[in-house]
Amino acid sequence: MIHVTATESDAVRAIEAEAVSSRFARGWHCLGLAETFKDGKPHTVHAFGQKLVVFTGADGKTNVLDGYCRHMGGDLSQGTVKGNEIACPFHDWRWGGDGRCKSIPYSRRVPLRARTAAWPTMEQDKLLFVWNDPEGKQPPADVRIPVIEGATRDDWTDWRWTEQVVHTNAREVIDNVVDMAHFFYIHKSFPTYFKNIFENQTATQIMKGVTREDARRAREGSGGGGPRMLGNTSVASYHGPSFMIDELTYHYEGYDLHSVLINCHYPIDENSFSLHSGIIVQHSDALPPEAAEATAAKLSEFILLGFQQDVEIWKNKTRIDNPLLCEEDGPVYQLRRWYEQFYVDAADVKPEMTDRFEFEIDTTRPVESWKKEVEENLARSEGASA
């Protein structure tokens, strides 16, 4: 028999939470659909603790600059795009995408020090990315976002894109990479396989799941119809600190539906971030173009609902640096160690942040428990309707 002393069993577990760092992650961050910023107007984006101005010049290149003019502090996002420059509304100083003042209409010459902060940008898969680095360095050639083949192919739908502001620190959304159990309790899904792989700048979640029967019947009872979804297979990878590509296959009776889900964000400040989602769906014999577009729209609503379920949790939970975990909770601490690499100088990135790490959860116990819970829920439902 094992004897546990009072001090071991009765000690209260204290929640530890350090002050949130004012440093923002190094890496590519997606600002949304590139087309949004190509209307010939300046756009305000609040990111990385400051105001930015985003504009596309006559040459078609989209630029990101610090939002305030270095002359007298005018708000460039309230200015005008003139050729390839953004003109300040205060005194019409013209700023190029490289951050240099190109001309001052009323002056013979431009001061040598007339330069503002310019942020590296990238357009890929119809999306606009901006590079953030607290050290002020350019993006390394080997730090890339993988190309999403379906985003530019005719046999896939266009992006269905949503965005919203979430008032908490961005680490909360990253924790979901390893959190298997919340899919059952929050999203009414039923994970049957769950594995994580972290390596270099990529953190992957591989999950297989089935639709919760009690949730499906409740949805059908409230008017939800259409083909019966049996489950899904998901391979979701964060490439860097904020951009996740999820190769998501939904299994229906009689066919599979292939889609790509984007879950991405950029920090507004230490305690808020802009959360984006995008989805494209592949056309197929079972899903011709018109049906694929309708399905993409429906899935987009479904995904947005899932985000809202997470947001409600984040809004009411507290930040916790020392979570108390059980075996099936996944590698939370290892994930956070991987995530830390984006918040330190490049020279301070340690091997334990980037070395390959794999962890597969034994789903035997969760599956047994969850099957029993679903059966009990269905029995109560049937008893109530009898």
Side-chain angles (χ1 to χ4, degrees), residues 1-18:
M1 179 180 295
I2 298 175
H3 296 279
V4 180
T5 66
T7 55
E8 290 175 329
S9 63
D10 297 336
V12 174
R13 175 83 170 194
I15 288 179
E16 298 175 2
E18 295 182 1

Side-chain angles (χ1 to χ4, degrees), residues 236-254:
S237 295
Y238 267 96
H239 300 280
S242 66
F243 191 79
M244 187 198 79
I245 301 173
D246 187 358
E247 297 177 357
L248 186 57
T249 302
Y250 290 97
H251 306 294
Y252 290 87
E253 289 182 329

Side-chain angles (χ1 to χ4, degrees), residues 4 9 15 17 25-26 58 112 117 121 161 190 212 243 245 248 252 257 268 275 342 355-356:
V4 180
S9 63
I15 288 179
R26 177 180 58 256
L112 292 176
T121 61
W161 202 263
F190 200 141
R212 275 183 59 169
F243 191 79
I245 301 173
L248 186 57
Y252 290 87
L257 185 155
I268 297 172
L275 177 65
F342 306 110
D355 284 350
R356 185 176 179 88

Side-chain angles (χ1 to χ4, degrees), residues 85 87 110 114 163 188 218:
E85 289 100 41
V110 175
E163 51 191 85
K188 310 305 180 186

Side-chain angles (χ1 to χ4, degrees), residues 23 26 135 137 341 344-351 353:
R23 182 166 179 151
R26 177 180 58 256
E135 297 181 85
K137 297 178 180 179
Q341 68 178 289
V344 299
D345 289 351
D348 295 329
V349 175
K350 300 176 182 178
M353 299 175 185

Side-chain angles (χ1 to χ4, degrees), residues 145 202 277 304:
I145 301 294
T202 302
S277 72
L304 186 59

